[in-house]
Amino acid sequence: MKFPKDFLWGGATAANQYEGAWDEGGKGLNTADVITNGSHTTPRRITWRKADGETGSVPLSFGGRMEFPEGAVPAVIDGEYYPSHTATDFYHHYKEDIALMGEMGFRCFRLSMNWARIFPNGDDEQPNEEGLQFYDNVFDECKKYGIEPLVTLSHYETPLHLTIAYGGWIDRRLVDFFVRYATTVMKRYKGKVKYYLTFNEINCMDMMPFMGGGMIKSDPQSRAQGAHNQFVASALTVKAAHEIDPEIKVGQMLAYQPNYAYTCDPADQLKVMEMQHNTLFYSDVQTGGAYPAWRLKQYEREGVKVQMEPGDLQLLHDYSADFLSFSCYGSTTMTTHKEAEGAGNMMPGSVKNPYLQSNAWGWETDPDCLRIALNTLYDRYHKPLWVVENGIGWNDVKEADGSVHDSYRIDYLRQNIASMRDAVCLDGIPLMGYTMWGCIDLVSAGTGEMRKRYGFVYVDRDDKGQGTLARSKKDSFGWYQKVIASDGEDLD
């Protein structure tokens, strides 16, 4: 069995974890530029400054409340290390990196554009030409190798000015700012870029609204309003895209993973249902085109009142996403039994799945997760799908001769690609492509580390920002090259 000939094989990155050049080329600050490094056991921090010069930080909380002191605003503080500032420096290595992608046989490269590189403050009237030209150069380089760009417009970075002056996506005015940005980009790169995603893992708004929406407030009312404003901005982007060029397709990007019940206790089944609801709420609106009844009832119970303008709901219905893309790294096993909790991944109420193996960061390898995810999502939305993030972070070791033997990554990808192939060849799922996450080593979004590596290409950079940034191929490089050349038939 093999994938269709037009299947878009490739890899994925994000500007805030990969691009670097945080203060070059007219770029403004964004929210990622004020987040420090961290580790598996120590959370990343958001640094702040008050008008009187006092500085400090708050932890980047996953799922909890985040409160800044009165009068504090996010800021870059001298003496702190911010991984996004240099990351792994795609800005100065893009020709080398895209050549490596071409050597592997990539047909697609998913990258994000840095909103603050195009509109430094986010609300500027005119774009920054130097930033636009940089991405022109990147897309021209992709074309040389026959690589189709898949562009994420906002990937965990909101221009910092929009956070400080407007409170981030809680403010409806950001809809107009984003649509101006998206329209500028789609007109500029007409004929060069055919595929766009609006917001990376839009459901991150529930867990980390600062990363997902540049929001300082994290209460339910604020998260609901921020999500609605992003839904409207996304629909308006779909509308604009179709008017600019009917060939342009705009997709949603969802963080998704299958959820399993730990026991046959009906309470565990209900917990899984509720978890699935919370995740699929975002795709129900953005891809399905309507707010689900259960979420409206939840808002009633919680006293949440989403401010909508006349025509919003019709807009969401008429301009839903053209396709649904998603990240999927594994599955989560859930339980209501308190004695079993605490050994799973980062999700509250999760437990270790006794049938799966996990790495040092607690991520479990599930050989069937992609087939299950693809069937679940297609059965619900009946729209084309795209796996745009899938991979495994590992503390790769570079040998004295420069080699990196990452058999664990090959094993992980072999199982996941086989699962995806079954969904296509056995179940008939219309899958557009697969872009493995972090194809060139980059900074981990969750921990801010370099040691948690994902790529086929090793980058000489450590957790403190030291290293030459030299690129070298891992064993998985040649393996993936062979997978693409065989259209997924040869996974040995």
Side-chain angles (χ1 to χ4, degrees):
M1 296 190 301
K2 61 171 63 178
F3 290 82
K5 283 291 183 185
D6 61 352
F7 189 75
L8 291 169
W9 294 98
T13 62
N16 75 87
Q17 297 165 254
Y18 179 47
E19 189 176 278
W22 71 291
D23 59 353
E24 296 183 49
K27 177 187 167 296
L29 287 173
N30 59 42
T31 50
D33 293 329
V34 296
I35 304 177
T36 70
N37 60 333
S39 70
H40 178 48
T41 56
T42 304
R44 303 183 72 181
R45 294 174 293 112
I46 307 163
T47 54
W48 52 260
R49 178 185 288 112
K50 293 184 178 180
D52 62 5
E54 181 186 354
T55 62
S57 65
V58 296
L60 182 65
S61 174
F62 187 87
R65 294 290 292 269
M66 183 184 69
E67 301 291 343
F68 282 76
E70 185 70 28
V73 296
V76 173
I77 306 300
D78 290 343
E80 294 281 7
Y81 173 54
Y82 302 95
S84 70
H85 288 193
T86 301
T88 47
D89 201 25
F90 176 67
Y91 191 83
H92 297 107
H93 291 79
Y94 72 90
K95 289 186 178 181
E96 177 185 3
D97 288 357
I98 294 171
L100 287 165
M101 296 174 197
E103 185 179 344
M104 272 187 281
F106 277 24
R107 299 171 192 168
C108 178
F109 172 34
R110 181 198 170 207
L111 70 157
S112 71
M113 299 180 71
N114 221 319
W115 185 355
R117 194 174 294 286
I118 307 300
F119 288 92
N121 297 299
D123 60 357
D124 313 77
E125 291 289 337
Q126 298 298 323
N128 170 35
E129 175 59 30
E130 195 171 352
L132 288 168
Q133 186 58 53
F134 168 69
Y135 293 111
D136 259 319
N137 297 342
V138 168
F139 300 142
D140 289 345
E141 204 68 20
C142 287
K143 187 176 180 180
K144 282 172 53 177
Y145 298 94
I147 298 172
E148 190 83 53
L150 168 60
V151 173
T152 311
L153 291 167
S154 182
H155 191 133
Y156 291 170
E157 45 71 40
T158 302
L160 192 62
H161 172 71
L162 299 183
T163 293
I164 295 170
Y166 300 89
W169 275 96
I170 194 173
D171 194 307
R172 177 79 181 210
R173 287 174 289 183
L174 264 71
V175 172
D176 291 337
F177 301 149
F178 183 84
V179 174
R180 178 192 296 162
Y181 159 55
T183 302
T184 298
V185 164
M186 292 187 295
K187 288 180 176 178
R188 173 74 172 228
Y189 306 119
K190 181 180 178 180
K192 290 186 177 183
V193 179
K194 186 164 62 174
Y195 300 111
Y196 288 93
L197 306 174
T198 48
F199 300 98
N200 178 70
E201 295 183 332
I202 189 170
N203 46 324
C204 177
M205 183 68 78
D206 259 351
M207 302 303 291
M208 290 187 289
F210 183 82
M211 288 183 75
M215 290 168 48
I216 293 176
K217 293 183 178 180
S218 58
D219 58 279
Q221 174 67 45
S222 298
R223 295 199 308 269
Q225 190 64 55
H228 179 75
N229 291 340
Q230 288 191 341
F231 292 147
V232 172
S234 183
L236 288 170
T237 299
V238 172
K239 182 176 186 294
H242 294 174
E243 292 169 354
I244 292 166
D245 183 355
E247 294 297 310
I248 295 177
K249 304 298 180 188
V250 179
Q252 179 187 355
M253 202 302 206
L254 180 76
Y256 185 77
Q257 54 188 2
N259 295 304
Y260 305 145
Y262 185 59
T263 74
C264 54
D265 182 346
D268 278 6
Q269 313 306 312
L270 281 172
K271 188 174 184 70
V272 166
M273 184 193 78
E274 291 168 353
M275 188 75 179
Q276 186 89 326
H277 270 170
N278 287 328
T279 297
L280 295 181
F281 157 65
Y282 290 86
S283 44
D284 283 350
V285 180
Q286 197 175 353
T287 299
Y291 272 79
W294 71 265
R295 178 52 69 104
L296 296 177
K297 285 293 185 182
Q298 178 185 330
Y299 285 166
E300 283 182 21
R301 292 192 302 273
E302 295 178 349
V304 170
K305 299 184 184 300
V306 178
Q307 297 300 312
M308 300 187 189
E309 293 188 1
D312 276 4
L313 295 180
Q314 190 65 47
L315 181 73
L316 298 178
H317 176 271
D318 293 346
Y319 297 101
S320 59
D322 295 318
F323 61 92
L324 174 58
S325 73
F326 64 100
S327 61
C328 183
Y329 294 88
S331 56
T332 298
T333 304
M334 310 296 295
T335 187
T336 59
H337 297 268
K338 298 298 182 183
E339 70 276 7
E341 286 187 16
N345 64 17
M346 66 182 73
M347 301 303 296
S350 66
V351 62
K352 181 173 174 54
N353 189 321
Y355 299 98
L356 302 178
Q357 294 181 332
S358 59
N359 69 358
W361 285 270
W363 293 90
E364 295 171 333
T365 299
D366 181 344
D368 298 305
C369 67
L370 286 181
R371 185 180 182 188
I372 292 170
L374 287 163
N375 275 274
T376 300
L377 295 172
Y378 186 68
D379 287 350
R380 194 175 185 100
Y381 302 113
H382 300 287
K383 286 191 175 182
L385 302 174
W386 199 329
V387 178
V388 295
E389 286 187 31
N390 170 254
I392 189 166
W394 210 278
N395 189 10
D396 298 333
V397 176
K398 187 175 182 180
E399 305 292 345
D401 64 358
S403 61
V404 178
H405 303 303
D406 57 341
S407 59
Y408 39 82
R409 182 165 293 110
I410 293 171
D411 290 342
Y412 171 92
L413 293 174
R414 178 185 293 116
Q415 294 176 73
N416 278 265
I417 292 173
S419 176
M420 190 169 60
R421 187 176 63 187
D422 286 346
V424 172
C425 298
L426 300 180
D427 307 325
I429 301 298
L431 182 61
M432 299 170 70
Y434 172 81
T435 53
M436 175 268 197
W437 174 248
C439 49
I440 312 286
D441 279 351
L442 39 64
V443 175
S444 166
T447 66
E449 296 173 289
M450 270 304 303
R451 74 179 70 189
K452 187 182 179 186
R453 297 174 181 271
Y454 288 86
F456 300 119
V457 176
Y458 185 96
V459 178
D460 183 25
R461 186 85 169 164
D462 67 17
D463 290 343
K464 296 182 179 179
Q466 303 299 310
T468 65
L469 294 168
R471 274 67 168 151
S472 54
K473 302 171 189 176
K474 304 177 188 178
D475 288 354
S476 57
F477 183 103
W479 179 84
Y480 194 54
Q481 183 182 53
K482 180 180 63 174
V483 169
I484 295 174
S486 69
D487 282 313
E489 185 173 35
D490 186 357
L491 298 180
D492 293 334

